[in-house]
Amino acid sequence: MGAAIAMAFFVAPEDANQGVSQRIFYIHVPIAVTAYFCFGLGAWKALMLLWRGGERYDLESYVAIHQGVIFGALTLVTGSLWAKASWGVWWTWDSNQLVLFLVLFLFYCAYFMLRFSLEEGPRRARSSAVYALFGVVLIPISFLAIRLAEDFIHPTVFTREGPQMSGSMFATFCVSWGAVTLLAYVLYRVELLGKRLDADLRELREAFS
Amino acid sequence: MSQGQYVAAVYGVVFVVVLAYVAIIAAKLARLQRQTAELLRLVADRRPEPAAAEAPEPSRVS
């Protein structure tokens, strides 16, 4: 992360149109892509649970969606700050990309309400998995909304002709993306380990009592 | 606020959120460590004394 931040501030040149605020791109976009990936991973684990069964997929799906919500919240906050710096507004309802991302984020926030309103067990695992799978439909819609709408509020940087930026800018973006993905992976593994330990200890306590 | 301050705010928010998340996970792991130690103590309390465990069974031959 340190290398990514150093590259964003000292290696990548300043954007001719947006100026210094364009440096937000190097953290905002990798976080948004990671949020999409986490939601997708949560849905994939949910599918595995429904398909193959197995308690571990329930926990893995839950942790992935939890990560997705954290990265989703960060995407909304960093995007809002960037919008204020570049467009002069905190939020605009005119951009489909923003609204659809908000819908996706709120949908997965509601996942926790569903999950914690049910008794722990196979029924809760199956219901949560079905809900997580429904949400996955929103991911490609949210991701492709900007290309379908072709609005100018939220510009397209990655087109069929390749990335619309200089080589050092693209290298900085790749390093940032790798750093955020690695961070998300480490946090996912640590949280999953903690949850598994917690479950094992609960079983042990019950066995002793 | 200037554009530079917005950029600093974005990177600051990300740093604070990741730091808070790591702190929460660290607190949780510390709690799990305490619970593991408590369970180990329980196991040690339930384990029979070595002398009693090695004592021969009383003969049941009549």
Side-chain angles (χ1 to χ4, degrees):
Chain A
M1 278 304 284
I5 292 168
M7 282 185 79
F9 283 97
F10 303 114
V11 175
E14 198 165 304
D15 187 66
N17 294 325
Q18 290 197 41
V20 73
S21 70
Q22 188 270 341
R23 295 186 196 281
I24 297 171
F25 168 83
Y26 303 114
I27 193 83
H28 170 73
V29 178
I31 285 175
V33 173
T34 306
Y36 284 129
F37 180 77
C38 289
F39 290 139
L41 181 68
W44 170 250
K45 296 289 182 184
L47 179 69
M48 295 299 280
L49 171 79
L50 295 173
W51 187 14
R52 290 188 182 173
E55 211 175 292
R56 74 184 186 101
Y57 292 122
D58 177 50
L59 203 57
E60 286 172 1
S61 175
Y62 163 74
V63 172
I65 291 170
H66 187 229
Q67 295 278 317
V69 167
I70 291 168
F71 280 90
L74 273 175
T75 304
L76 289 170
V77 172
T78 56
S80 190
L81 282 162
W82 195 7
K84 183 66 180 166
S86 292
W87 311 329
V89 289
W90 294 105
W91 182 264
T92 172
W93 293 101
D94 298 332
S95 178
N96 291 339
Q97 173 87 356
L98 304 190
V99 176
L100 280 166
F101 191 86
L102 181 67
V103 170
L104 179 71
F105 173 75
L106 293 175
F107 183 90
Y108 278 110
C109 282
Y111 168 88
F112 297 100
M113 291 161 71
L114 170 80
R115 189 177 174 86
F116 293 115
S117 65
L118 297 171
E119 284 283 317
E120 195 177 336
R123 186 170 159 260
R124 183 177 86 168
R126 278 198 306 275
S127 303
S128 302
V130 169
Y131 190 88
L133 268 178
F134 273 125
V136 82
V137 178
L138 288 167
I139 297 172
I141 297 173
S142 170
F143 194 75
L144 296 171
I146 188 168
R147 281 155 183 81
L148 299 171
E150 292 179 348
D151 59 21
F152 294 102
I153 296 170
H154 201 271
T156 310
V157 177
F158 296 98
T159 62
R160 283 181 185 173
E161 287 78 38
Q164 304 299 302
M165 62 180 97
S166 70
S168 59
M169 280 177 162
F170 185 59
T172 304
F173 170 75
C174 289
V175 170
S176 295
W177 191 9
V180 172
T181 305
L182 190 65
L183 175 73
Y185 177 74
V186 170
L187 294 179
Y188 171 79
R189 296 301 306 179
V190 171
E191 189 178 343
L192 194 61
L193 184 72
K195 297 270 182 214
R196 281 183 180 150
L197 265 174
D198 200 16
D200 290 348
L201 278 173
R202 211 178 314 141
E203 266 185 44
L204 269 173
R205 268 201 310 273
E206 279 167 14
F208 269 102
S209 60
Chain B
M1 270 175 90
S2 69
Q3 285 206 339
Q5 284 171 319
Y6 281 112
V7 176
V10 165
Y11 282 86
V13 163
V14 173
F15 178 74
V16 167
V17 169
V18 172
L19 196 68
Y21 185 84
V22 169
I24 291 166
I25 294 282
K28 192 172 181 178
L29 288 177
R31 179 174 61 82
L32 291 174
Q33 199 177 17
R34 276 198 307 275
Q35 289 175 353
T36 310
E38 192 184 319
L39 277 170
L40 278 172
R41 211 170 37 246
L42 270 172
V43 171
D45 289 347
R46 287 193 179 192
R47 194 177 289 164
E49 290 295 315
E54 286 167 16
E57 286 275 319
S59 175
R60 289 186 184 178
V61 180
S62 54

